[in-house]
mmCIF file of all heavy atoms in Angstrom:
data_model
loop_
_atom_site.group_PDB
_atom_site.id
_atom_site.type_symbol
_atom_site.label_atom_id
_atom_site.label_comp_id
_atom_site.label_asym_id
_atom_site.label_seq_id
_atom_site.Cartn_x
_atom_site.Cartn_y
_atom_site.Cartn_z
ATOM 1 N N SER A 1 0.451 -3.295 8.902
ATOM 2 C CA SER A 1 -0.638 -2.826 9.712
ATOM 3 C C SER A 1 -1.494 -1.736 9.008
ATOM 4 O O SER A 1 -2.637 -1.449 9.418
ATOM 5 C CB SER A 1 -0.195 -2.335 11.023
ATOM 6 O OG SER A 1 0.279 -3.386 11.823
ATOM 7 N N TYR A 2 -0.902 -1.063 8.014
ATOM 8 C CA TYR A 2 -1.652 0.062 7.393
ATOM 9 C C TYR A 2 -3.037 -0.329 6.913
ATOM 10 O O TYR A 2 -4.039 0.312 7.362
ATOM 11 C CB TYR A 2 -0.877 0.662 6.247
ATOM 12 C CG TYR A 2 0.380 1.377 6.553
ATOM 13 C CD1 TYR A 2 1.445 1.408 5.645
ATOM 14 C CD2 TYR A 2 0.578 2.098 7.775
ATOM 15 C CE1 TYR A 2 2.630 2.076 5.879
ATOM 16 C CE2 TYR A 2 1.758 2.760 8.024
ATOM 17 C CZ TYR A 2 2.801 2.730 7.048
ATOM 18 O OH TYR A 2 3.974 3.393 7.326
ATOM 19 N N PRO A 3 -3.179 -1.319 5.999
ATOM 20 C CA PRO A 3 -4.543 -1.594 5.492
ATOM 21 C C PRO A 3 -5.519 -2.065 6.583
ATOM 22 O O PRO A 3 -6.662 -1.677 6.549
ATOM 23 C CB PRO A 3 -4.280 -2.666 4.440
ATOM 24 C CG PRO A 3 -2.862 -2.619 4.114
ATOM 25 C CD PRO A 3 -2.172 -2.101 5.339
ATOM 26 N N ASP A 4 -4.997 -2.890 7.514
ATOM 27 C CA ASP A 4 -5.934 -3.389 8.508
ATOM 28 C C ASP A 4 -6.353 -2.300 9.538
ATOM 29 O O ASP A 4 -7.489 -2.355 10.019
ATOM 30 C CB ASP A 4 -5.253 -4.550 9.267
ATOM 31 C CG ASP A 4 -5.130 -5.776 8.362
ATOM 32 O OD1 ASP A 4 -6.193 -6.342 8.077
ATOM 33 O OD2 ASP A 4 -4.042 -6.164 7.991
ATOM 34 N N MET A 5 -5.485 -1.369 9.788
ATOM 35 C CA MET A 5 -5.944 -0.280 10.646
ATOM 36 C C MET A 5 -6.982 0.575 9.956
ATOM 37 O O MET A 5 -7.895 1.069 10.609
ATOM 38 C CB MET A 5 -4.738 0.595 11.101
ATOM 39 C CG MET A 5 -3.828 -0.061 12.079
ATOM 40 S SD MET A 5 -2.661 1.107 12.896
ATOM 41 C CE MET A 5 -1.541 1.395 11.553
ATOM 42 N N VAL A 6 -6.839 0.774 8.675
ATOM 43 C CA VAL A 6 -7.851 1.519 7.919
ATOM 44 C C VAL A 6 -9.162 0.791 7.977
ATOM 45 O O VAL A 6 -10.227 1.364 8.201
ATOM 46 C CB VAL A 6 -7.410 1.711 6.446
ATOM 47 C CG1 VAL A 6 -8.584 2.255 5.585
ATOM 48 C CG2 VAL A 6 -6.212 2.626 6.355
ATOM 49 N N LEU A 7 -9.146 -0.539 7.827
ATOM 50 C CA LEU A 7 -10.372 -1.349 7.860
ATOM 51 C C LEU A 7 -10.991 -1.271 9.289
ATOM 52 O O LEU A 7 -12.244 -1.153 9.413
ATOM 53 C CB LEU A 7 -10.070 -2.821 7.499
ATOM 54 C CG LEU A 7 -9.725 -3.051 6.046
ATOM 55 C CD1 LEU A 7 -9.181 -4.445 5.849
ATOM 56 C CD2 LEU A 7 -10.958 -2.865 5.154
ATOM 57 N N LEU A 8 -10.201 -1.402 10.296
ATOM 58 C CA LEU A 8 -10.720 -1.287 11.670
ATOM 59 C C LEU A 8 -11.380 0.046 11.931
ATOM 60 O O LEU A 8 -12.329 0.146 12.681
ATOM 61 C CB LEU A 8 -9.577 -1.527 12.702
ATOM 62 C CG LEU A 8 -9.179 -2.965 12.978
ATOM 63 C CD1 LEU A 8 -7.930 -3.039 13.827
ATOM 64 C CD2 LEU A 8 -10.303 -3.717 13.672
ATOM 65 N N ALA A 9 -10.862 1.078 11.298
ATOM 66 C CA ALA A 9 -11.431 2.445 11.514
ATOM 67 C C ALA A 9 -12.615 2.713 10.604
ATOM 68 O O ALA A 9 -13.184 3.775 10.624
ATOM 69 C CB ALA A 9 -10.327 3.480 11.251
ATOM 70 N N GLY A 10 -13.001 1.703 9.746
ATOM 71 C CA GLY A 10 -14.167 1.850 8.924
ATOM 72 C C GLY A 10 -13.905 2.384 7.516
ATOM 73 O O GLY A 10 -14.862 2.610 6.770
ATOM 74 N N GLY A 11 -12.667 2.584 7.174
ATOM 75 C CA GLY A 11 -12.350 3.111 5.850
ATOM 76 C C GLY A 11 -12.027 2.025 4.859
ATOM 77 O O GLY A 11 -12.128 0.805 5.146
ATOM 78 N N THR A 12 -11.610 2.444 3.651
ATOM 79 C CA THR A 12 -11.330 1.471 2.577
ATOM 80 C C THR A 12 -9.899 1.707 2.125
ATOM 81 O O THR A 12 -9.539 2.818 1.638
ATOM 82 C CB THR A 12 -12.293 1.723 1.385
ATOM 83 O OG1 THR A 12 -13.637 1.500 1.829
ATOM 84 C CG2 THR A 12 -11.916 0.729 0.261
ATOM 85 N N PRO A 13 -8.978 0.752 2.341
ATOM 86 C CA PRO A 13 -7.633 0.882 1.820
ATOM 87 C C PRO A 13 -7.551 0.742 0.298
ATOM 88 O O PRO A 13 -8.173 -0.157 -0.254
ATOM 89 C CB PRO A 13 -6.865 -0.254 2.514
ATOM 90 C CG PRO A 13 -7.913 -1.247 2.835
ATOM 91 C CD PRO A 13 -9.186 -0.501 3.056
ATOM 92 N N VAL A 14 -6.872 1.638 -0.342
ATOM 93 C CA VAL A 14 -6.667 1.538 -1.804
ATOM 94 C C VAL A 14 -5.160 1.429 -1.991
ATOM 95 O O VAL A 14 -4.398 2.384 -1.853
ATOM 96 C CB VAL A 14 -7.144 2.840 -2.487
ATOM 97 C CG1 VAL A 14 -6.840 2.823 -3.982
ATOM 98 C CG2 VAL A 14 -8.670 3.056 -2.248
ATOM 99 N N THR A 15 -4.715 0.196 -2.301
ATOM 100 C CA THR A 15 -3.301 -0.041 -2.445
ATOM 101 C C THR A 15 -2.827 0.134 -3.919
ATOM 102 O O THR A 15 -3.549 -0.237 -4.838
ATOM 103 C CB THR A 15 -2.920 -1.460 -1.985
ATOM 104 O OG1 THR A 15 -3.661 -2.446 -2.704
ATOM 105 C CG2 THR A 15 -3.250 -1.612 -0.498
ATOM 106 N N VAL A 16 -1.641 0.642 -4.064
ATOM 107 C CA VAL A 16 -1.067 0.928 -5.386
ATOM 108 C C VAL A 16 0.316 0.293 -5.392
ATOM 109 O O VAL A 16 1.153 0.621 -4.543
ATOM 110 C CB VAL A 16 -0.967 2.428 -5.697
ATOM 111 C CG1 VAL A 16 -0.528 2.640 -7.126
ATOM 112 C CG2 VAL A 16 -2.331 3.131 -5.413
ATOM 113 N N GLU A 17 0.591 -0.613 -6.331
ATOM 114 C CA GLU A 17 1.819 -1.314 -6.369
ATOM 115 C C GLU A 17 2.990 -0.450 -6.893
ATOM 116 O O GLU A 17 2.951 0.080 -7.969
ATOM 117 C CB GLU A 17 1.723 -2.539 -7.245
ATOM 118 C CG GLU A 17 0.889 -3.647 -6.619
ATOM 119 C CD GLU A 17 1.006 -4.979 -7.388
ATOM 120 O OE1 GLU A 17 1.695 -4.993 -8.400
ATOM 121 O OE2 GLU A 17 0.401 -5.939 -6.956
ATOM 122 N N ALA A 18 4.020 -0.290 -6.029
ATOM 123 C CA ALA A 18 5.275 0.313 -6.395
ATOM 124 C C ALA A 18 6.259 -0.811 -6.650
ATOM 125 O O ALA A 18 6.757 -1.460 -5.704
ATOM 126 C CB ALA A 18 5.776 1.213 -5.264
ATOM 127 N N THR A 19 6.530 -1.076 -7.904
ATOM 128 C CA THR A 19 7.215 -2.308 -8.306
ATOM 129 C C THR A 19 8.736 -2.213 -8.204
ATOM 130 O O THR A 19 9.311 -1.121 -8.046
ATOM 131 C CB THR A 19 6.824 -2.663 -9.740
ATOM 132 O OG1 THR A 19 7.289 -1.591 -10.613
ATOM 133 C CG2 THR A 19 5.349 -2.848 -9.863
ATOM 134 N N LEU A 20 9.355 -3.402 -8.294
ATOM 135 C CA LEU A 20 10.824 -3.485 -8.295
ATOM 136 C C LEU A 20 11.425 -2.634 -9.414
ATOM 137 O O LEU A 20 12.465 -1.961 -9.200
ATOM 138 C CB LEU A 20 11.266 -4.945 -8.448
ATOM 139 C CG LEU A 20 12.711 -5.198 -8.603
ATOM 140 C CD1 LEU A 20 13.500 -4.774 -7.389
ATOM 141 C CD2 LEU A 20 12.966 -6.704 -8.890
ATOM 142 N N GLU A 21 10.727 -2.572 -10.544
ATOM 143 C CA GLU A 21 11.264 -1.785 -11.684
ATOM 144 C C GLU A 21 11.372 -0.331 -11.353
ATOM 145 O O GLU A 21 12.166 0.385 -11.947
ATOM 146 C CB GLU A 21 10.348 -2.031 -12.902
ATOM 147 C CG GLU A 21 10.439 -3.425 -13.515
ATOM 148 C CD GLU A 21 9.799 -4.454 -12.648
ATOM 149 O OE1 GLU A 21 8.860 -4.146 -11.856
ATOM 150 O OE2 GLU A 21 10.201 -5.665 -12.719
ATOM 151 N N ASN A 22 10.498 0.183 -10.427
ATOM 152 C CA ASN A 22 10.541 1.583 -10.003
ATOM 153 C C ASN A 22 11.237 1.701 -8.631
ATOM 154 O O ASN A 22 10.996 2.667 -7.963
ATOM 155 C CB ASN A 22 9.140 2.159 -9.982
ATOM 156 C CG ASN A 22 8.542 2.343 -11.328
ATOM 157 O OD1 ASN A 22 9.273 2.688 -12.280
ATOM 158 N ND2 ASN A 22 7.242 2.235 -11.461
ATOM 159 N N ASN A 23 12.036 0.741 -8.295
ATOM 160 C CA ASN A 23 12.774 0.731 -6.990
ATOM 161 C C ASN A 23 11.797 0.811 -5.876
ATOM 162 O O ASN A 23 12.112 1.423 -4.814
ATOM 163 C CB ASN A 23 13.776 1.875 -6.963
ATOM 164 C CG ASN A 23 14.856 1.731 -8.041
ATOM 165 O OD1 ASN A 23 15.415 0.653 -8.220
ATOM 166 N ND2 ASN A 23 15.124 2.825 -8.736
ATOM 167 N N PHE A 24 10.641 0.208 -5.979
ATOM 168 C CA PHE A 24 9.599 0.162 -4.945
ATOM 169 C C PHE A 24 9.128 1.536 -4.561
ATOM 170 O O PHE A 24 8.698 1.743 -3.375
ATOM 171 C CB PHE A 24 10.127 -0.600 -3.720
ATOM 172 C CG PHE A 24 10.530 -1.999 -3.934
ATOM 173 C CD1 PHE A 24 11.853 -2.452 -3.661
ATOM 174 C CD2 PHE A 24 9.639 -2.920 -4.501
ATOM 175 C CE1 PHE A 24 12.242 -3.722 -3.873
ATOM 176 C CE2 PHE A 24 10.026 -4.230 -4.711
ATOM 177 C CZ PHE A 24 11.311 -4.643 -4.408
ATOM 178 N N LYS A 25 9.139 2.478 -5.492
ATOM 179 C CA LYS A 25 8.676 3.840 -5.199
ATOM 180 C C LYS A 25 7.443 4.152 -6.066
ATOM 181 O O LYS A 25 7.404 3.861 -7.256
ATOM 182 C CB LYS A 25 9.798 4.846 -5.420
ATOM 183 C CG LYS A 25 11.005 4.649 -4.590
ATOM 184 C CD LYS A 25 12.121 5.635 -4.932
ATOM 185 C CE LYS A 25 13.413 5.288 -4.216
ATOM 186 N NZ LYS A 25 14.485 6.209 -4.570
ATOM 187 N N LEU A 26 6.493 4.810 -5.447
ATOM 188 C CA LEU A 26 5.255 5.250 -6.106
ATOM 189 C C LEU A 26 5.590 6.358 -7.088
ATOM 190 O O LEU A 26 6.336 7.291 -6.725
ATOM 191 C CB LEU A 26 4.262 5.720 -5.114
ATOM 192 C CG LEU A 26 2.823 5.912 -5.569
ATOM 193 C CD1 LEU A 26 2.135 4.575 -5.918
ATOM 194 C CD2 LEU A 26 2.034 6.635 -4.485
#
């Protein structure tokens, strides 16, 4: 729901991939 709530509120979601190699951590 995070990106879609941002879109509903008029903002722009900027997603950054936290990969398996980094244990899914940014």
Side-chain angles (χ1 to χ4, degrees):
S1 293
Y2 292 149
D4 289 294
M5 286 194 289
V6 170
L7 290 168
L8 279 171
T12 301
V14 176
T15 58
V16 186
E17 289 191 357
T19 62
L20 174 63
E21 291 71 26
N22 287 328
N23 297 315
F24 301 123
K25 299 176 189 179
L26 192 70

